[in-house]
Amino acid sequence: MSLVCLEDFQAQAREHLSKSSWDFIDGGADDSFTLDDNIAAFKRIRLRPRFLKDMSEVDTRTTIQGKEISAPIGIAPTGFHCLAWPDGEMSTARAAQAAGICYITSTYASCTLEDIVTAAPGGLRWFQFYVQPDRQLNKQLIQRAESLGFKALVITVDVPTVGNRRHDIRNKLDLKRNLLLKDLRSPKERDSTPHLQMSPINPSLCWNDLSWYQSITQLPIILKGILTKEDAELAVKHNVHGIIVSNHGGRQLDGVAASIDALTEVVTAVKGKIEVYLDGGIRTGNDVLKALALGAKCVFLGRPILWGLACKGEHGILEVLNILKKEFHTSMTLTGRSLPARSHSCRHHAFREDELTSRVHPPLAGAAATEPRNLDSARRPGGSRGLRAPELPRNLITTCSHLHRLPFQNARHCQRQLPSSTG
Ligand SMILES: Cc1cc2nc3c(=O)[nH]c(=O)nc-3n(C[C@H](O)[C@H](O)[C@H](O)COP(=O)(O)O)c2cc1C
């Protein structure tokens, strides 16, 4: 079967993985309401294309934390890549380097940070950090990542305890029995300890602790898992450099908003003072475009990367990334959003023209409340499709529950387009 979209990889990955590994990757918390909604929420948003613009040159490049990437698409941190492919995170790092995008490496990587860096020395990498109860270990690990060339510290804040993942409980999944988490011990201990215990995440982390992390590293600190304006404002107050709007792919607190629905609230609260990114439910180039139009600087992918890895290792990930980049390029071209200039000031200027049009995007929370649902359909492989370059305007999109306000829109387009494929 030819693999032409991310859902094709999803279907094929399922065939390559054991049931317990598939369930671990695919699953959400509790009723998986948020997991499903991450995908469905993108389908409630409609694009507003503009035509008769010169689209002969479209440039997907952007920057995050001052570093250039080939497209506003990156790899979210996910643990245990050796479950999907023997080379694990080393393959992931090579694919990210080849694609020219950022790879956020998880604390729960199954390869050491040193091996990951050696596999792809030229790649842009951030280090995702689960705060451990042992401060000394935290310091050691962060400073090690910094000396290895990781360019940002991503602190995940939405895991004071692990979400209730029913599949993993039923499958009696015990990752620490067969996986090495070498990074959680000092080099000396790593050599002498064949199988390491996964340390519990420190549930006592709070806002005031951030200054200690800022004192031990020069790396910009990014908080992953922020969903509300209150926390976004606190993040700015505590001088962090970025926020990843995320609900952990629906694996933590079930019933929270889809990431794309929480984005506007966070973007509005930070008032442009720090960069805001998004993960959760990105499956097509259109999804990327929508997230960027709503204010994200870059999006990150979790599960689709693991699908690519499970299917064909590093080449599978590269294919997933290339498909998404190509789709994003097409989405930009078809909506009339080129980024002709290479410098950011020029790009910004290019989009000012769009700001002259009226802003039709309503609050997404309202759309979520009024939209009919078909969650089973939304969860089928094929259920999600995944741009935004840095300054895409919000008036690029609208949501279907508000289309009646728009005299120029045809109501027929308001119907949700659920995927026809199953899998
Ligand atoms: C199998 C798996 C493992 C994950 N491991 C981590 C992790 O170690 N650290 C972390 O901050 N987030 C982790 N996440 C959450 C992802 O970083 C990301 O928020 C989520 O997958 C995005 O949703 P998506 O899968 O729909 O793209 C994990 C997600 C999955 C599916």
Side-chain angles (χ1 to χ4, degrees), residues 208 287 306 353 383 392 395 399:
N208 288 340
D287 293 344
L306 295 170
E353 180 198 339
L392 282 179
N395 58 23
T399 65

Side-chain angles (χ1 to χ4, degrees), residues 244-317:
I244 304 181
V245 175
S246 168
N247 50 41
H248 219 100
R251 297 160 75 82
Q252 284 299 107
L253 179 62
D254 196 27
V256 298
S259 310
I260 190 70
D261 285 347
L263 179 63
T264 304
E265 177 174 335
V266 172
V267 167
T268 306
V270 308
K271 299 187 177 87
K273 291 179 183 147
I274 55 174
E275 292 183 351
V276 177
Y277 319 106
L278 171 132
D279 75 25
I282 299 281
R283 302 294 182 264
T284 68
N286 279 347
D287 293 344
V288 186
L289 186 75
K290 288 170 183 176
L292 267 71
L294 284 169
K297 189 94 202 288
C298 178
V299 301
F300 292 92
L301 303 170
R303 294 180 183 84
I305 297 301
L306 295 170
W307 304 334
L309 187 65
C311 291
K312 307 182 186 181
E314 144 189 8
H315 302 290
I317 297 181

